[in-house]
Amino acid sequence: MADPELVGIHEVASMAGVSRQAVVNWRNRLLDFPLPVAELRAGPVFSREQVKAWLWKRGIPMPVVISTINLKGGVGKTTTTVAVAEMLSGEFGKRVLLVDLDPQTNATSMLIGDQRWGELNSDGRTLARLFSDALLQPEERSFDLQATLVRKASRVAEAPSLSLLPSSLDMIDTQDQLGSMPSGRFFAESPADILRRAVTPILGEFDIVLIDCPPNLGIITLNGLRMSQAYIIPTIPDILSTYGIPQIVGRVRKFSETIAQPIEPLGILVAKYRTQSTVHRTQLRILREQGDAPLFETRIPEGNALADAASPQHVSTLRQKWGTEGFRAYRALTAEVLERIHA
């Protein structure tokens, strides 16, 4: 199997969306173009990460990867991830990949329904197979990325460009075992790098990748953060839901420093907001004053229509799925996300 960390001239061209000759010209004419890691008979090979950083610096579009995380469940994390993914596809014309890392499988169920998920799970076509394979020797592994990827995953006709890598309840048992995975040749494999190494070959197909992380800071969550440039913290503005935010920001900062890769807090999203609640208004003010991460201007209101949107029904429009109020709120949030990405 080819090393996913290394790319040749052809792969660099695919990443940048240019011809092979253009990459050859860059290499010959631009002094800051990354030096090859090795010169093989087939041609030079480069570090994928160095090439990505160089392309970013020159303003060449690359897929943006964003994780959503909170240590407390029930704060609207998964609903936010699915809604933003569908808005990106349906309202903004983006090619979107949603990676469901949460073993509760809620994002998967919201998109494709329990019956389809059950079929995929029975066939071993979920991310549980990827993580369980990491405990085996390379020749014993059977995870198939293309077979696991669900294209046109949204049941909203307006959002056709949304794909999904589904989760599985089996990941609950696997996470505790990942610390003992084989380290590979020259200790090159890390339990926090499983997802990135597996998904890298298809990233060029997407504009934005959203990763729904479990409500913890364990190895599977670190897999999501490892391939992210930014993260969003959805929260209800109450004491229990916001309690762990400083811990999240501090832990991600230390992880970012450890892997020498920036992972920025894109923002804190206030969800299930009740305007008339004194507790909500007070906690909103505290979040703003503490400044652990910037707040999104958009606030997602509490409402029955948003709860009903969790049902994976076939509908024609996003407004039908999310209701008028939910549609407006999530569309505004998605526009803010895109604005902060571009900034």
Side-chain angles (χ1 to χ4, degrees), residues 29 54 129 220 256 282 288 325 342-343:
R29 300 173 185 173
W54 186 85
R129 174 60 59 86
I220 288 181
S256 172
T282 300
R288 187 175 289 112
E325 190 176 24
H342 295 149

PDB file of all heavy atoms in Angstrom, residues 29 54 129 220 256 282 288 325 342-343:
ATOM      1  N   ARG A  29      10.498  26.800 -10.835  1.00  0.00           N
ATOM      2  CA  ARG A  29      10.572  28.260 -10.831  1.00  0.00           C
ATOM      3  C   ARG A  29      10.409  28.904  -9.462  1.00  0.00           C
ATOM      4  O   ARG A  29      10.834  30.054  -9.270  1.00  0.00           O
ATOM      5  CB  ARG A  29       9.493  28.826 -11.765  1.00  0.00           C
ATOM      6  CG  ARG A  29       9.636  28.379 -13.208  1.00  0.00           C
ATOM      7  CD  ARG A  29       8.436  28.828 -14.030  1.00  0.00           C
ATOM      8  NE  ARG A  29       8.502  28.313 -15.397  1.00  0.00           N
ATOM      9  CZ  ARG A  29       7.520  28.435 -16.292  1.00  0.00           C
ATOM     10  NH1 ARG A  29       6.400  29.066 -15.944  1.00  0.00           N
ATOM     11  NH2 ARG A  29       7.656  27.935 -17.506  1.00  0.00           N
ATOM     12  N   TRP A  54       2.010  24.592   1.838  1.00  0.00           N
ATOM     13  CA  TRP A  54       2.486  25.476   0.760  1.00  0.00           C
ATOM     14  C   TRP A  54       1.311  25.944  -0.099  1.00  0.00           C
ATOM     15  O   TRP A  54       1.227  27.117  -0.459  1.00  0.00           O
ATOM     16  CB  TRP A  54       3.505  24.730  -0.094  1.00  0.00           C
ATOM     17  CG  TRP A  54       4.167  25.581  -1.142  1.00  0.00           C
ATOM     18  CD1 TRP A  54       5.255  26.387  -0.989  1.00  0.00           C
ATOM     19  CD2 TRP A  54       3.769  25.697  -2.522  1.00  0.00           C
ATOM     20  NE1 TRP A  54       5.572  26.997  -2.183  1.00  0.00           N
ATOM     21  CE2 TRP A  54       4.682  26.599  -3.143  1.00  0.00           C
ATOM     22  CE3 TRP A  54       2.759  25.134  -3.294  1.00  0.00           C
ATOM     23  CZ2 TRP A  54       4.588  26.940  -4.491  1.00  0.00           C
ATOM     24  CZ3 TRP A  54       2.663  25.492  -4.628  1.00  0.00           C
ATOM     25  CH2 TRP A  54       3.567  26.378  -5.218  1.00  0.00           C
ATOM     26  N   ARG A 129     -14.945  -0.540  11.775  1.00  0.00           N
ATOM     27  CA  ARG A 129     -14.015  -1.468  11.124  1.00  0.00           C
ATOM     28  C   ARG A 129     -12.635  -0.820  10.994  1.00  0.00           C
ATOM     29  O   ARG A 129     -11.606  -1.474  11.172  1.00  0.00           O
ATOM     30  CB  ARG A 129     -14.569  -1.873   9.756  1.00  0.00           C
ATOM     31  CG  ARG A 129     -13.630  -2.736   8.909  1.00  0.00           C
ATOM     32  CD  ARG A 129     -13.265  -4.055   9.595  1.00  0.00           C
ATOM     33  NE  ARG A 129     -14.403  -4.861   9.902  1.00  0.00           N
ATOM     34  CZ  ARG A 129     -14.982  -5.711   9.069  1.00  0.00           C
ATOM     35  NH1 ARG A 129     -14.542  -5.836   7.827  1.00  0.00           N
ATOM     36  NH2 ARG A 129     -16.007  -6.442   9.454  1.00  0.00           N
ATOM     37  N   ILE A 220     -10.487   8.571  20.105  1.00  0.00           N
ATOM     38  CA  ILE A 220     -11.283   8.759  18.890  1.00  0.00           C
ATOM     39  C   ILE A 220     -11.528  10.239  18.633  1.00  0.00           C
ATOM     40  O   ILE A 220     -11.448  10.714  17.491  1.00  0.00           O
ATOM     41  CB  ILE A 220     -12.600   7.971  18.986  1.00  0.00           C
ATOM     42  CG1 ILE A 220     -12.306   6.471  18.850  1.00  0.00           C
ATOM     43  CG2 ILE A 220     -13.590   8.418  17.908  1.00  0.00           C
ATOM     44  CD1 ILE A 220     -13.513   5.570  18.903  1.00  0.00           C
ATOM     45  N   SER A 256      -2.514  20.474  19.951  1.00  0.00           N
ATOM     46  CA  SER A 256      -2.059  21.193  18.762  1.00  0.00           C
ATOM     47  C   SER A 256      -0.562  21.464  18.826  1.00  0.00           C
ATOM     48  O   SER A 256       0.164  21.297  17.840  1.00  0.00           O
ATOM     49  CB  SER A 256      -2.833  22.513  18.638  1.00  0.00           C
ATOM     50  OG  SER A 256      -2.304  23.324  17.623  1.00  0.00           O
ATOM     51  N   THR A 282     -27.606  35.281  31.433  1.00  0.00           N
ATOM     52  CA  THR A 282     -26.451  35.468  32.319  1.00  0.00           C
ATOM     53  C   THR A 282     -25.257  34.653  31.843  1.00  0.00           C
ATOM     54  O   THR A 282     -24.128  35.148  31.787  1.00  0.00           O
ATOM     55  CB  THR A 282     -26.809  35.058  33.758  1.00  0.00           C
ATOM     56  OG1 THR A 282     -27.893  35.861  34.221  1.00  0.00           O
ATOM     57  CG2 THR A 282     -25.605  35.235  34.681  1.00  0.00           C
ATOM     58  N   ARG A 288     -19.065  35.360  27.063  1.00  0.00           N
ATOM     59  CA  ARG A 288     -18.457  36.467  26.316  1.00  0.00           C
ATOM     60  C   ARG A 288     -17.318  37.085  27.125  1.00  0.00           C
ATOM     61  O   ARG A 288     -16.257  37.403  26.570  1.00  0.00           O
ATOM     62  CB  ARG A 288     -19.522  37.510  25.981  1.00  0.00           C
ATOM     63  CG  ARG A 288     -19.033  38.624  25.074  1.00  0.00           C
ATOM     64  CD  ARG A 288     -20.161  39.551  24.685  1.00  0.00           C
ATOM     65  NE  ARG A 288     -21.098  38.922  23.757  1.00  0.00           N
ATOM     66  CZ  ARG A 288     -22.354  38.603  24.056  1.00  0.00           C
ATOM     67  NH1 ARG A 288     -22.836  38.830  25.271  1.00  0.00           N
ATOM     68  NH2 ARG A 288     -23.134  38.042  23.151  1.00  0.00           N
ATOM     69  N   GLU A 325     -37.930  28.859  11.279  1.00  0.00           N
ATOM     70  CA  GLU A 325     -37.008  29.459  12.250  1.00  0.00           C
ATOM     71  C   GLU A 325     -35.666  28.735  12.260  1.00  0.00           C
ATOM     72  O   GLU A 325     -34.598  29.362  12.287  1.00  0.00           O
ATOM     73  CB  GLU A 325     -37.641  29.429  13.647  1.00  0.00           C
ATOM     74  CG  GLU A 325     -36.874  30.244  14.690  1.00  0.00           C
ATOM     75  CD  GLU A 325     -37.587  30.274  16.032  1.00  0.00           C
ATOM     76  OE1 GLU A 325     -38.382  29.347  16.312  1.00  0.00           O
ATOM     77  OE2 GLU A 325     -37.336  31.206  16.805  1.00  0.00           O
ATOM     78  N   HIS A 342     -12.880  31.831   5.763  1.00  0.00           N
ATOM     79  CA  HIS A 342     -12.212  32.676   4.778  1.00  0.00           C
ATOM     80  C   HIS A 342     -11.334  33.723   5.435  1.00  0.00           C
ATOM     81  O   HIS A 342     -10.319  34.127   4.895  1.00  0.00           O
ATOM     82  CB  HIS A 342     -13.256  33.332   3.871  1.00  0.00           C
ATOM     83  CG  HIS A 342     -14.009  32.358   3.030  1.00  0.00           C
ATOM     84  ND1 HIS A 342     -15.318  32.547   2.631  1.00  0.00           N
ATOM     85  CD2 HIS A 342     -13.645  31.156   2.522  1.00  0.00           C
ATOM     86  CE1 HIS A 342     -15.710  31.510   1.906  1.00  0.00           C
ATOM     87  NE2 HIS A 342     -14.708  30.653   1.830  1.00  0.00           N
ATOM     88  N   ALA A 343     -11.746  34.160   6.638  1.00  0.00           N
ATOM     89  CA  ALA A 343     -10.930  35.150   7.343  1.00  0.00           C
ATOM     90  C   ALA A 343      -9.640  34.537   7.854  1.00  0.00           C
ATOM     91  O   ALA A 343      -8.660  35.249   8.042  1.00  0.00           O
ATOM     92  CB  ALA A 343     -11.727  35.728   8.502  1.00  0.00           C
TER      93      ALA A 343
END
